Amino acid sequence: GIHALEVLNSMSREQLPSCIILDMMMPEMDGEAFVLSLAKSDRKDFEKLKIIIATANKTAEGHENLPLVVDWI
């Protein structure tokens, strides 16, 4: 999570991935915190990132109000 944010912040717009796949349950920073960090960023190009969240947690509720469009697996 934290390392991925550092890498994304160091990338130019052209270098950004077309899609990010992440887990809801990650060490140090969970998927929700990761998405919220992207949304709060000053970089407007992060708004166009496609994010897919994968989770084994059957009770992954309450995350439907994330500020970016997120697809769930």
Side-chain angles (χ1 to χ4, degrees):
I2 293 171
H3 178 68
L5 282 175
E6 292 171 355
V7 171
L8 287 172
N9 278 312
S10 72
M11 293 178 160
S12 68
R13 178 185 305 170
E14 294 78 24
Q15 294 173 313
L16 288 175
S18 58
C19 179
I20 296 174
I21 300 173
L22 59 101
D23 195 332
M24 232 13 225
M25 300 181 292
M26 298 183 292
E28 298 179 21
M29 173 184 279
D30 66 18
E32 183 175 5
F34 182 87
V35 173
L36 291 172
S37 294
L38 288 178
K40 291 178 183 177
S41 172
D42 293 336
R43 289 190 58 172
K44 296 296 180 191
D45 50 354
F46 284 177
E47 294 174 1
K48 297 185 188 283
L49 289 173
K50 294 177 179 84
I51 302 169
I52 298 171
I53 296 179
T55 184
N57 185 354
K58 290 184 178 182
T59 61
E61 298 173 358
H63 306 296
E64 57 275 347
N65 294 322
L66 288 173
L68 298 174
V69 176
V70 175
D71 289 327
W72 289 81
I73 293 179

